[in-house]
Amino acid sequence: MADMYVRRLRPNKMHIIAAVFLILALILFANGIYRLGRVSSRLDQAGFIFEDDDVRENRGVLFSAVPYKGRLKGAEKSRDVVAANVQKGIMKNIEIFIGSVHRKYQFIAVEKDSEEYSKLLAGEKVTGYFSYEYTDKLLDFVSRMGNYYAKEDVIPVENVTKLGVVVVNREKEQRSIFYGLPFLIIGILLMIKAGSPFFSFPVEKN
């Protein structure tokens, strides 16, 4: 008979699967806190005193902005200028306009055909956060703008503001903190079912 027992960690497959679910829950929870914080403390466009008053990357903002309009060569009427279309994921299409939130000629990125897209084009207030995510797209478009648009509507590259705005659905951003909850519940249930990952092994004294 053994004189003593030593507890050692010996997880089985169910323990490993449970741990994966718990790690995913933690990642989603951390991401949710980040997204929630980004839109909870919003700057109000109407409260700007200076152009850069409290403006920084990832800071939330409540604003309305009319997209910049330009006339294509040979066309009679001006239209909303779309700097780029970016596919994000499977079903998400981001349309990048040019507008003014805290300065002139910065990108305003919004999901096409979303509720926020309609509000932006209608001149209503939307929520967004300051970002450099699509700055390169905007600069590339502006550098080639003279090839397609009337001379008087071409924006000089040096007049472009690099810090733009990504429009988001505030309610979805606030709910994102709960996205990891199903993974947390499944992970806990699997861990309970798997039992303790520690086992006692007999060790004989010499």
Side-chain angles (χ1 to χ4, degrees):
M1 186 173 179
D3 297 301
M4 61 183 295
Y5 290 85
V6 176
R7 286 172 61 83
R8 293 179 182 174
L9 182 64
R10 283 292 181 89
N12 57 34
K13 288 182 180 180
M14 190 171 289
H15 287 124
I16 295 171
I17 294 171
V20 170
F21 274 96
L22 292 174
I23 291 170
L24 285 173
L26 182 62
I27 292 171
L28 290 171
F29 180 68
N31 181 256
I33 291 177
Y34 175 74
R35 292 169 65 177
L36 174 64
R38 196 163 56 182
V39 299
S40 294
S41 179
R42 299 177 298 178
L43 296 173
D44 192 326
Q45 184 185 36
F48 289 152
I49 299 175
F50 304 104
E51 282 188 328
D52 293 318
D53 185 31
D54 243 358
V55 172
R56 61 180 183 274
E57 188 178 12
N58 288 318
R59 185 67 191 271
V61 60
L62 178 67
F63 73 98
S64 62
V66 178
Y68 180 78
K69 293 183 182 292
R71 184 172 59 84
L72 288 168
K73 289 181 177 179
E76 295 182 0
K77 295 182 179 180
S78 296
R79 65 175 191 178
D80 292 335
V81 174
V82 177
N85 284 285
V86 179
Q87 190 72 33
K88 294 196 74 173
I90 301 174
M91 302 292 291
K92 197 172 183 179
N93 185 19
I94 304 297
E95 200 153 273
I96 301 172
F97 293 101
I98 302 173
S100 173
V101 178
H102 80 294
R103 284 188 176 185
K104 282 188 175 182
Y105 310 135
Q106 58 192 141
F107 74 76
I108 301 176
V110 60
E111 183 179 353
K112 190 174 182 180
D113 298 328
S114 64
E115 182 181 350
E116 289 69 34
Y117 183 88
S118 300
K119 285 182 177 180
L120 179 70
L121 295 185
E124 299 178 24
K125 286 193 172 183
V126 293
T127 294
Y129 61 88
F130 291 103
S131 170
Y132 293 103
E133 186 174 357
Y134 301 107
T135 302
D136 290 343
K137 298 284 186 185
L138 176 58
L139 290 173
D140 178 63
F141 171 80
V142 171
S143 68
R144 297 180 288 102
M145 202 173 176
N147 298 332
Y148 312 105
Y149 284 86
K151 185 177 180 180
E152 61 272 16
D153 291 332
V154 174
I155 300 170
V157 174
E158 58 270 20
N159 291 351
V160 172
T161 302
K162 292 183 178 180
L163 188 63
V165 177
V166 177
V167 179
V168 293
N169 182 306
R170 192 184 189 208
E171 288 70 30
K172 287 183 180 179
E173 295 296 295
Q174 290 173 326
R175 290 197 302 269
S176 66
I177 195 171
F178 299 110
Y179 290 170
L181 191 58
F183 294 92
L184 177 63
I185 293 172
I186 294 172
I188 291 174
L189 292 175
L190 287 174
M191 193 64 75
I192 292 172
K193 186 175 181 180
S196 174
F198 292 94
F199 291 87
S200 296
F201 294 87
V203 176
E204 293 185 2
K205 284 186 177 180
N206 294 326

